[in-house]
Amino acid sequence: MARPTSIYVCSACGQESIRWAGRCPGCGEWNTLIEQMQPRGGRGGAAARGSRSESRGGAGAVVPVALSEVAAHQEDRLSTGIGELDSVLGGGLVPGSLVLIGGSPGIGKSTLTTMALAHLAAAGRRTLYVSAEESAAQIRLRAERLHVGDALRVPVIAETSLDTVLATLERERPEVCVIDSVQTLHCAELSSAAGSVAQVREVASEIMRLAKSLRITVLLVGHVTKDGALAGPRVLEHLVDCVLQFEGERERTYRTVRAIKNRFGSTNEAGVFEMRDQGLVEVLDASARFVGEATRAPGSVVLCAMEGSRPLLVEVQALVSSSELVPPRRVVAGLDRNRLALVLAVLGRHAGIGLGTADVFVNVVGGVRVEEPGADLAVALAVASAAKRVAPVGGDGGPLACFGELGLTGELRTVAHAERRLAEAAKFGLAPVVAPGAHATLRSALGDALGDTSAARMEAA
Ligand code: TYD
Ligand code: MG
């Protein structure tokens, strides 16, 4: 059999070339040539092209069916045995679906997928763990630490060749299989290195083709780059049914899993985990922990955040110190940097707290990421409290709880799910909450939170 060769296709204009070049000879764009498989006879491509003209007469056409006539039975979902993961998936794995789990190295992707397979094996499902990163012995050592389900009964293969993996899947026919990871599997027919866009795309589409035809549920592990984008797998997002993002920092205990795409459920859910000695443990009482650990010192407030449809109380801390640098430092963890810039500008312009010569550090405690406008007020109050070295005043001497978006004119804007946030705060005895309903402007909120009557007075004037 003649080996099919690959070609390079420009992702901007579609120009095909035999060799890679830094610049597309067609449109002149840089770095747009991506290696692709030359269509084989069996894979559609050329064959389909040849028959197109013949099928114009109507032969080969299909009859469209009204949606009401389409047979659609709700299939039972496969529970992974990990409640938080099931809820993020929308109630468990849909049989035959392809789920991409992205996250930075060391975050716990292999641990999570091993645990899921262990539970599924214990429930009597046929499973298979394909590792292209670790040896079978390493996987065994991890599984032994986990003490979950039937971890040691999960069959494993340590293999990097795509063809071998496909052949094994075809023979073993597992119901659920983990591919760890899409970047380390290698398709011999493409000359680019494993992990390149061309390889990742080919690996994923071949696995998807086989998985859909054999109805194998696949958990595809993918690494993300430093800036948080799914490296390579970005091009897979449209291909898979579900994209889960595993977030948090390696050095921190808490990690969250959230869906950024889900064909079978909402993308609002998020699960919180903690990495322990025996693997990932679900954190069901995350709010209680974060509130319990809140320091109540200057620079610390509790934010009533939303993790998907679930309210979560997290501590936001700020530190303000005089700077030696021009421009001064702005360091954030768990928040959007641009959002901090906006909050600092509003603080300076509308609350008289100028920080042009100060370094500002803001941190969401516990490695949680809060990317919602509702975090603005918490950042503003934490920074103001740190700058003035005044501890925020909560009810009954407890930490101060708050939420709300800041407008550019210094007004407080309402955010979604206000009642749920208030209810969560009330559950932990945090009342009153500094929030848009009670205050119209940042100044008034600041006056309340820091007991700073001068700000409130200026407002009244
Ligand atoms: P791993 O699942 O291998 O991460 P990934 O596949 O995303 O690269 O595990 C990540 C880290 O978690 C690893 O550095 C060691 C740690 N870990 C624990 O703390 N406890 C455990 O029980 C396990 C299995 C791992
Ligand atoms: Mg891994």
Side-chain angles (χ1 to χ4, degrees), residues 248-266:
E249 271 145 57
R250 199 168 16 186
E251 305 76 29
R252 314 243 205 139
T253 359
Y254 297 105
R255 281 108 209 261
T256 52
V257 174
R258 69 180 86 223
I260 48 181
K261 165 181 172 176
N262 194 348
R263 285 192 180 142
F264 314 112
S266 92

Side-chain angles (χ1 to χ4, degrees), residues 8 17 19-25 29-33:
Y8 292 85
S17 5
R19 251 171 244 99
W20 186 84
R23 190 174 191 192
C24 171
E29 281 289 321
W30 288 96
N31 280 329
T32 52
L33 289 193

Side-chain angles (χ1 to χ4, degrees), residues 33-50:
L33 289 193
I34 290 171
E35 190 181 22
Q36 265 183 21
M37 212 67 149
Q38 187 86 270
R40 285 182 208 160
R43 276 197 201 168
R49 234 173 269 157

Side-chain angles (χ1 to χ4, degrees), residues 105-106 108-111 113 129 131 133-134 142 180-181 221 223:
K109 301 178 296 297
S110 305
T111 307
T113 48
Y129 193 99
S131 180
E133 297 197 341
E134 291 162 302
R142 176 188 294 110
D180 189 2
S181 67
V221 172
H223 296 288

Side-chain angles (χ1 to χ4, degrees), residues 13 31 34 53 62 69 71 92 118 162 172 232 240-241 243 251 277 280 302 319-320 330 364 379 390 399 419 428 437:
C13 72
N31 280 329
I34 290 171
S53 52
V62 291
E69 308 290 312
L162 175 65
E172 299 295 324
V240 300
D241 298 308
V243 181
E251 305 76 29
D277 288 346
L280 289 160
V302 169
L319 175 70
V320 173
R330 302 288 180 246
V364 181
V379 175
V390 178
E419 312 74 40
F428 294 94

